[in-house]
Amino acid sequence: MAHREPVHILAKPGEISPFVLVAGDPNRIKTLSKLLKNPVLVNKNRGLLVYTGYWRDVKVTLATHGIGGPSSSIVFEELKMLGAEVIIRLGTTGSLTPFLKVGDLLVVQGATYTKGHLEMYVPDGCMAAVPDFEVTNLLLEKAEEKKIPVKLGLVFSSDAFYVEDESFARKWSSRGILSVEMECATLFVLGHLRKFKTGALLVVSNSLVDSHPPELGEEQLQRKVIDAAEIIFECFSALKNEKLNKKEKDCSIR
């Protein structure tokens, strides 16, 4: 693909870290920026808030991707143009099975999708929408280290928020799909096409199968989101250390 310049994320060269946490809600990104040391707002164009700061000694970027595949694909493409090497989604998801409860954290193993904007990328087939294996394992490992329970499974990435109902839940849960969200398939497919690593850690915010699900209040949701963010930041830290070790090893061989 010919080199392109971003037209929506107007950050300058060097303002985007190789390690990026993305979320749909700009308010969530704004809240998470307070966890970083010296966070700087590097983009507010189009309402796509992007902050860069430090988690301990790791430079981290937090970016808003908006709602759905087409919006998020623009952000993922432009983050890659600006130097992103690892992009991990922190979002919410709706449970399709009693196994997955409101308040659970879900590490995404893969995503299924139907025809939609991804057909523009791959018109002659269907990509395997799976995250990077190393990143996924690190998310599980860091959650265990922090003693934060997580589950692992497949999601459905939907392009139509308001068509999801009980029959939708029955059909897809019978195929082994645990929950529904809107952006993971896009992230994973673009990761393979544009050569960056991906992962996803989601908070179950509602259920399509429980008629009386427990309410996840704003304060509880925020706590779950912060837990998920800290797992992701620890994952970035491990990836940075691995990158440095590899660089040192390569230098010593030379």
Side-chain angles (χ1 to χ4, degrees):
M1 184 180 76
H3 177 71
R4 297 179 184 176
E5 296 291 335
V7 296
H8 304 88
I9 299 177
L10 304 181
K12 297 173 185 174
E15 290 183 333
I16 299 298
S17 165
F19 306 108
V20 185
L21 180 158
V22 293
D25 183 354
N27 287 326
R28 186 168 299 143
I29 291 297
K30 189 174 183 179
T31 297
L32 291 178
S33 72
K34 296 172 185 176
L35 300 178
L36 301 182
K37 183 172 64 178
N38 302 325
V40 176
L41 180 65
V42 298
N43 184 75
K44 61 180 180 179
N45 187 49
R46 295 289 188 114
L48 298 170
L49 301 185
V50 181
Y51 291 85
T52 295
Y54 286 84
W55 170 259
R56 298 179 184 149
D57 63 341
V58 183
K59 186 178 181 181
V60 172
T61 292
L62 311 175
T64 310
H65 61 55
I67 300 174
S71 169
S72 64
S73 67
I74 292 171
V75 173
F76 303 150
E77 292 263 24
E78 296 193 0
L79 288 169
K80 170 61 178 175
M81 293 174 198
L82 289 163
E85 297 175 10
V86 183
I87 302 178
I88 301 179
R89 166 163 152 71
L90 193 173
T92 54
T93 189
S95 172
L96 301 179
T97 167
F99 167 75
L100 203 58
K101 307 294 186 186
V102 170
D104 283 349
L105 294 184
L106 178 67
V107 174
V108 181
Q109 190 176 15
T112 189
Y113 64 94
T114 56
K115 289 182 179 180
H117 75 290
L118 286 174
E119 193 174 20
M120 299 286 290
Y121 283 96
V122 188
D124 57 347
C126 183
M127 286 287 292
V130 292
D132 180 81
F133 182 75
E134 179 188 15
V135 171
T136 301
N137 275 345
L138 275 173
L139 290 171
L140 293 169
E141 179 185 305
K142 296 306 174 184
E144 184 176 7
E145 286 178 7
K146 294 177 72 64
K147 297 183 173 16
I148 298 174
V150 296
K151 292 179 178 177
L152 175 70
L154 304 172
V155 301
F156 182 95
S157 293
S158 171
D159 278 343
F161 185 87
Y162 288 106
V163 302
E164 300 152 11
D165 56 20
E166 289 183 8
S167 63
F168 173 96
R170 283 193 300 272
K171 177 173 72 174
W172 286 102
S173 64
S174 72
R175 298 169 178 173
I177 306 301
L178 298 186
S179 72
V180 59
E181 55 81 70
M182 300 187 75
E183 296 86 17
C184 283
T186 298
L187 176 62
F188 301 158
V189 168
L190 282 179
H192 291 294
L193 294 177
R194 302 296 187 238
K195 311 302 181 191
F196 58 88
K197 294 183 176 183
T198 63
L201 179 55
L202 308 179
V203 180
V204 180
S205 59
N206 64 295
S207 173
L208 278 70
V209 293
D210 189 341
S211 56
H212 300 287
E215 288 190 14
L216 193 63
E218 188 58 37
E219 188 175 327
Q220 290 173 299
L221 175 60
Q222 186 165 319
R223 182 64 253 170
K224 295 288 184 178
V225 167
I226 290 172
D227 283 347
E230 290 182 351
I231 291 169
I232 292 170
F233 294 156
E234 293 294 346
C235 181
F236 288 154
S237 182
L239 289 166
K240 180 194 173 185
N241 289 337
E242 180 185 287
K243 188 177 178 182
L244 288 174
N245 290 338
K246 184 177 184 301
K247 188 175 181 181
E248 289 174 2
K249 185 177 179 181
D250 288 345
C251 287
S252 65
I253 290 173
R254 293 194 192 101

